[in-house]
């Protein structure tokens, strides 16, 4: 029996998709350990919340420069280079204890969006078999599952042994990811044209822009910074994120599975976008930690339901997966940068809670309306 189980495990580990998932898990380990306490770490180095938010502009800019220039992707070489860039970025956090390094760190991470994430997304969805939303749920929920433990663990390490111990752990995971990618990946070559990539996402460009401007900025920029108004110790922040994430995982898989079975993204997409917007508005209206925790938890549920669905919609309507993934990445980052600049400018006039409410309106009101306007251009919804 043991022999049989060992053989089954060995066979599974030879499977290309299993190898890709192993790489993804270790990449996410490094990504979360290095990034989940980014805001509280640089707050401790003297950055203001306004300055921390400004670093996100550098986080989203590389793809806007590189995608129009690069015409050919070599998956293994690109992913190895992306992982190497992440190793350099994490090493800088260990070696340079200066708040200005935040801008360099986030620019380096923006390079990984092109060199790691784009080829990874293409390879990942090449395994699709009419289960694009379920794959999307796996894609996003892997991060959520790791977020159950890692931010709390990271907070414990940072508070008791210093941030360097946290970043050394992240560096170890990144180096291991590089080794696994070198051993497991095959080099696939993809060619594309930037203009054709944008044309390939006809009917989705405005939706992807709004996803970046609204949902992505709420999750990646505003919410993490807003938490610093209530908590400023690494263990507190890490534990809060871990607990708040716990409730979102099962909901994502169940709804994505139903979406795959029914092949109707529209109902789930509009409902989750609406719920995400309402939850974010509620969070912006709260003024105490308990209310913020409720809002954070609701957002965690609905964002884990929402994010796989636009990605699945892109794949569902794709004639050329490479072109569609690159077009998607470009438009998402146009939205992310626009949203971040909007937040940064508005903070000169309004507080972060009110800015969250303003950005949330793009999810609550505009996203469902735009979807209804664009649905005739989409073959599969």
């Amino acid at each position: 029996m043991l022999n049989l189980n060992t053989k089954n495990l060995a066979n599974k580990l030879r499977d290309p998709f299993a190898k890709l998932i192993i790489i993804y898990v270790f990449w996410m380990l490094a990504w979360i350990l290095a990034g989940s306490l980014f805001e509280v770490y640089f707050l401790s180095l003297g950055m203001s919340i306004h300055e921390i938010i400004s670093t996100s502009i550098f986080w989203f800019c590389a793809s806007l420069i590189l995608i129009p220039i690069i015409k050919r992707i070599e998956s293994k070489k690109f992913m190895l280079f992306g992982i190497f860039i992440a190793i350099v970025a994490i090493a800088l956090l260990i070696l340079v204890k200066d708040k200005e390094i935040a801008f360099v760190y986030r620019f380096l991470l923006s390079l990984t969006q092109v060199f790691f994430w784009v080829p990874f997304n293409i390879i990942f969805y090449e395994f699709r078999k009419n289960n694009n939303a379920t794959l999307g749920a796996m894609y996003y929920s892997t991060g959520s599952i790791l977020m159950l433990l890692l931010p709390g663990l990271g907070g414990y390490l940072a508070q008791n042994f210093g941030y360097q111990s946290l970043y050394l752990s992240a560096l170890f995971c990144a180096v291991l990811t590089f080794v696994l990618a070198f051993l497991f990946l095959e080099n696939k070559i993809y060619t594309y044209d930037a203009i054709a990539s944008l044309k390939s996402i006809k009917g989705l460009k405005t939706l992807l822009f709004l996803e970046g401007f609204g949902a992505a900025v709420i999750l990646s920029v505003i919410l993490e910074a807003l938490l610093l108004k209530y908590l400023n110790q690494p263990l507190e922040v890490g534990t809060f994120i871990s607990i708040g994430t716990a409730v979102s995982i099962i909901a994502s898989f169940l709804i994505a599975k139903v979406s795959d079975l029914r092949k109707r993204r529209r109902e789930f997409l509009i409902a989750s976008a609406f719920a995400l917007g309402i939850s974010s508005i509620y969070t912006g209206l709260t003024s105490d930690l308990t209310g913020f925790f409720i809002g954070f938890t609701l957002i965690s549920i609905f964002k884990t339901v929402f994010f796989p669905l636009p990605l699945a919609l892109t794949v569902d309507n794709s004639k050329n997966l490479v072109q569609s993934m690159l077009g998607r990445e470009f438009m998402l980052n146009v939205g992310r940068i626009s949203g971040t600049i909007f937040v940064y400018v508005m903070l000169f006039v309004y507080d972060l809670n009110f800015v969250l409410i303003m950005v949330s309106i793009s999810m609550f009101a505009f996203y469902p309306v735009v979807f209804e306007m664009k649905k005739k251009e989409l073959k599969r919804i």
Side-chain angles (χ1 to χ4, degrees), residues 36-178:
S36 61
L37 297 180
F38 173 89
E39 290 81 5
V40 70
Y41 174 58
F42 282 99
L43 185 73
S44 73
L45 292 183
M47 289 190 92
S48 67
I49 291 177
H50 205 166
E51 288 175 316
I52 289 170
I53 286 173
S54 71
T55 66
S56 295
I57 297 171
F58 293 82
W59 194 7
F60 306 130
C61 65
S63 65
L64 304 188
I65 302 167
L66 293 175
I67 286 176
I69 298 172
I70 299 171
K71 306 294 183 185
R72 172 188 170 102
I73 294 172
E74 296 189 43
S75 61
K76 182 172 183 175
K77 292 179 181 178
F78 269 51
M79 289 176 71
L80 286 173
F81 185 56
I83 298 165
F84 175 75
I85 291 169
I87 290 170
V88 172
I90 297 167
L92 286 175
L93 292 180
I94 297 169
L95 297 172
V96 184
K97 298 179 183 179
D98 191 297
K99 67 179 186 178
E100 278 70 32
I101 204 65
F103 296 95
V104 179
Y105 171 78
R106 285 211 145 159
F107 177 73
L108 289 173
L109 287 192
S110 78
L111 294 173
T112 69
Q113 292 175 357
V114 175
F115 288 106
F116 181 88
W117 285 112
V118 168
F120 175 85
N121 286 342
I122 294 167
I123 297 169
F124 185 83
Y125 272 94
E126 281 180 337
F127 290 98
R128 69 192 188 277
K129 292 180 181 177
N130 298 318
N131 60 344
N132 296 329
T134 303
L135 280 178
M138 180 191 296
Y139 181 97
Y140 284 104
S141 289
T142 299
S144 294
I145 290 167
L146 294 175
M147 289 287 276
L148 287 173
L149 299 173
L150 291 183
L153 174 62
Y156 175 81
L157 288 173
Q159 190 139 325
N160 290 282
F161 305 103
Y163 282 99
Q164 305 312 304
S165 65
L166 172 62
Y167 296 134
L168 281 169
S169 302
L171 185 64
F172 172 79
C173 292
V175 171
L176 186 55
T177 306
F178 186 93

Side-chain angles (χ1 to χ4, degrees), residues 15 77 84 103 141 153 156 163 191 290 296 306 330 338 342:
D15 179 67
K77 292 179 181 178
F84 175 75
F103 296 95
S141 289
L153 174 62
Y156 175 81
Y163 282 99
T191 58
T290 301
F296 183 92
F306 171 78
F330 187 87
S338 302
F342 175 80

Side-chain angles (χ1 to χ4, degrees), residues 276-313:
L276 182 58
I278 290 291
S279 301
S280 301
I281 290 170
Y282 166 79
T283 305
L285 292 171
T286 61
S287 57
D288 60 79
L289 183 59
T290 301
F292 181 78
F293 178 78
I294 294 170
F296 183 92
T297 303
L298 289 172
I299 291 170
S300 294
I301 293 171
F302 296 121
K303 65 98 175 178
T304 314
V305 173
F306 171 78
F307 278 117
L309 297 175
L311 181 53
L313 195 65

